[in-house]
Amino acid sequence: MKIGVTSVSGQLGMSIAKHLIKEIGKENVIGIARTPEKVAHLGIEIRKGDYNNRNHFDAALQGVTTLLLVSGMDEPQKRIEQHKNVIEAAKANGVKKIVYTSIVGDAEKNAFSPIVQSNRQTELDVQNAGLDWVIGRNGIYIEPDLEYIDTYVKEGEIRNCAGDGKCTYTSRGELGYAYTKMLLESKHNGQVYNLVGTPITQTQLADYINQVYGTKLIYNGVSVDEYATERKKELGDFLGTVIAGIYEGIRNGANNIPSDFEKATGRPHKTPLEIIEAIESK
């Protein structure tokens, strides 16, 4: 069985590929990337695959039995068509199973909702492709907060519009483990899993970071409009709106949901503190 992993040059795709290599060996994992030379260090076969180019995937999926489709990063309407390119190529080239990395979130009530809607459409496209399928809905990665620590320390605070809302943070390492199980074990076929961890507030997040990193951060909650204005000024309209929408969703409870992680993996999700400690120790 050959398993293909799209967007293997990205951090999630790479985590999944590394977990797969441990389980089934390098010879059974095929990485697909828009820029193959970026991931030559993985030591697996790398094939070129740009989501905008259906022909790439007709070639890249030759001999692939099971495909991990990592959700694209483009604007919502573009990503629906990009994903369709991969799904149609999978159908035409003998792929038997697609596992798709979707996201949790509210499809209607905040500025992040258009992205959630596009992922829900791809979920339907995968489900209707006539192949075996599994869908994971990823929680928010905790890594960006840890990568941002220097800025947090400089500012003395974690500042966003999440308020007292709880977020079920996960990590790319936990997701890599979960998707490997979903790819390899047929008992997951036909399932949609919320791949999330323990719900915590931003104040709790700050406390955990302080415990592990010895910082003295506080959480400072601001209004949705104020935070959106700040993010758009720093990151541009599209990305700033998306980031503000994510925290607005947390504020409104969109990320405080039950976890299916143990169903997908056979073990509990690591706690936020365990994840932060593991990342800090690397």
Side-chain angles (χ1 to χ4, degrees):
M1 178 174 68
K2 298 280 188 180
I3 297 181
V5 179
T6 71
S7 293
V8 75
S9 59
Q11 293 184 79
L12 177 59
M14 193 175 300
S15 174
I16 296 167
K18 287 178 177 178
H19 279 86
L20 281 169
I21 290 166
K22 289 179 184 177
E23 290 294 320
I24 60 174
K26 291 183 177 182
E27 66 277 8
N28 294 309
V29 182
I30 295 172
I32 303 170
R34 186 170 55 185
T35 313
E37 55 269 23
K38 287 186 177 181
V39 278
H41 64 277
L42 284 175
I44 60 175
E45 181 181 354
I46 306 292
R47 299 175 181 175
K48 187 173 181 63
D50 184 324
Y51 285 167
N52 293 300
N53 191 317
R54 161 66 191 274
N55 292 334
H56 281 181
F57 282 90
D58 283 326
L61 297 181
Q62 292 295 312
V64 170
T65 309
T66 301
L67 179 66
L68 189 286
L69 173 56
V70 176
S71 187
M73 298 293 289
D74 219 323
E75 62 185 68
Q77 288 308 308
K78 284 185 180 178
R79 73 169 68 182
I80 290 172
E81 296 306 313
Q82 290 168 343
H83 296 157
K84 281 183 179 178
N85 283 338
V86 182
I87 295 165
E88 292 302 316
K91 289 166 59 178
N93 290 281
V95 173
K96 304 298 183 187
K97 174 177 173 177
I98 297 178
V99 179
Y100 173 54
T101 73
S102 189
I103 47 174
V104 302
D106 195 310
E108 295 181 358
K109 297 178 182 176
N110 59 65
F112 188 58
S113 294
I115 291 176
V116 178
Q117 290 168 14
S118 72
N119 279 49
R120 297 291 176 267
Q121 181 58 55
T122 294
E123 290 179 17
L124 291 174
D125 292 339
V126 168
Q127 290 167 332
N128 293 329
L131 309 176
D132 288 332
W133 58 268
V134 194
I135 290 165
R137 291 180 175 172
N138 299 347
I140 293 174
Y141 307 151
I142 206 165
E143 287 94 339
D145 280 287
L146 306 184
E147 293 160 3
Y148 212 63
I149 280 181
D150 288 346
T151 300
Y152 288 155
V153 170
K154 183 179 177 182
E155 297 174 351
E157 63 182 16
I158 295 175
R159 176 187 177 91
N160 57 52
C161 63
D164 294 326
K166 291 187 174 182
C167 181
T168 47
Y169 284 103
T170 188
S171 72
R172 297 184 186 104
E174 287 292 87
L175 293 173
Y177 182 79
Y179 279 108
T180 295
K181 295 288 188 180
M182 293 154 65
L183 286 159
L184 296 177
E185 298 174 354
S186 61
K187 67 182 180 181
H188 304 299
N189 293 358
Q191 299 299 311
V192 179
Y193 292 132
N194 291 330
L195 300 178
V196 301
T198 307
I200 59 171
T201 65
Q202 297 297 293
T203 298
Q204 288 174 301
L205 175 63
D207 288 344
Y208 289 139
I209 291 174
N210 289 340
Q211 274 185 247
V212 176
Y213 287 87
T215 50
K216 297 180 180 180
L217 302 176
I218 61 167
Y219 171 62
N220 181 12
V222 298
S223 72
V224 174
D225 287 344
E226 184 177 356
Y227 190 63
T229 299
E230 291 175 7
R231 293 297 87 198
K232 285 189 278 189
K233 183 178 179 180
E234 182 172 336
L235 303 171
D237 283 351
F238 175 69
L239 190 55
T241 298
V242 167
I243 298 299
I246 289 172
Y247 285 101
E248 182 183 5
I250 296 172
R251 182 189 193 98
N252 296 332
N255 294 77
N256 187 5
I257 58 174
S259 175
D260 300 314
F261 190 88
E262 191 163 358
K263 292 179 187 175
T265 66
R267 69 158 171 82
H269 194 287
K270 290 179 181 177
T271 67
L273 183 58
E274 287 172 334
I275 294 172
I276 294 170
E277 287 174 336
I279 292 170
E280 193 277 336
S281 66
K282 288 182 178 179

